[in-house]
Amino acid sequence: MLTIALSKGRILDDTLPLFERFGVFPMENPSKSRRLIIESNKPDIRFLIIRASDVATYVQFGAADAGVVGKDLLLEHGGDGMYETLDLNIARCRMVVAEPETASATSQAASVARLRIATKYPNITQKHFAAKGIQTEIIKLYGSMELAPLVGLADSIVDLVDTGNTMSANGLKEVETIADISSRFVVNRASMKLKRQALSIVIDRMRESLKGSEH
Ligand code: ATP
Ligand code: PRP
């Protein structure tokens, strides 16, 4: 049996067609069902439907053999105990540093002892600014990061941008890009050894699905 963790929310609608293209689909609609374990039409594959930010943890500890997770959450988690096998090219966006349109990052960095940064990604933020020798005070938030600089909670934010609509609607501008983001298919390291054959088939078929979706 292969247990595959899927991120509910934004990624789910783009993930299911990748499985469907090689004939695997959930027996119940995961967006509607309250079940957290959903069988697939194949007796040897089942899905776990969990929060995007928990997928890497389930895969790391082998509670799921594989999973679909945003690169943002993978970088933040660190990726211990798993292989990143495929870039699924879905939920594409960028992780950026942003600040109010009226501010200047460089002058801020020079004028304040510690740059206050609000983010859902404290590990990535800490690493990014430490590499530049900039001292930061990181404020962990769980959403709507764009609000923080508007009400004086932070000088800047580290968040995701796709269309740029949220940033511009809140008077923020991008200062720099930290990483390009898309969702990845990750596999638990021990499962890769113990269930190599079954996982290789899924990875190969998914790779073929991706080629199909390029056209
Ligand atoms: P959780 O529910 O655990 O708090 P979340 O709210 O970040 O996680 P989603 O909003 O469903 O979950 O986002 C899932 C993934 O989609 C993110 O990890 C990221 O990779 C990607 N993503 C987030 N925002 C965007 C966006 N605006 N455009 C494209 N992809 C995005
Ligand atoms: C994500 C992200 C930005 C927004 C960017 O938020 O955190 O706020 O999308 O997209 P855009 O550039 O196309 O406007 P989401 O909608 O997931 O809400 P959240 O803040 O609750 O995570």
Side-chain angles (χ1 to χ4, degrees), residues 10 120 142-146 159-167:
R10 188 189 287 272
K120 188 175 160 180
Y142 294 87
S144 305
M145 269 68 76
E146 292 86 353
D159 194 10
L160 303 177
V161 175
D162 177 21
T163 61
N165 289 343
T166 313
M167 291 274 177

Side-chain angles (χ1 to χ4, degrees), residues 119-166:
T119 188
K120 188 175 160 180
Y121 308 100
N123 295 330
I124 299 172
T125 302
Q126 198 279 331
K127 261 193 210 145
H128 177 75
F129 284 95
K132 293 155 76 91
I134 297 174
Q135 293 229 43
T136 51
E137 180 183 348
I138 296 173
I139 298 180
K140 164 89 182 177
L141 293 178
Y142 294 87
S144 305
M145 269 68 76
E146 292 86 353
L147 180 61
L150 308 184
V151 293
L153 181 60
D155 302 306
S156 319
I157 60 170
V158 168
D159 194 10
L160 303 177
V161 175
D162 177 21
T163 61
N165 289 343
T166 313

Side-chain angles (χ1 to χ4, degrees), residues 9-11 51-53 70 72-73 91-93 120 160 162 181:
R10 188 189 287 272
I11 297 184
R51 283 189 71 155
S53 44
D72 51 328
L73 296 169
R92 291 178 59 166
C93 52
K120 188 175 160 180
L160 303 177
D162 177 21
I181 304 297

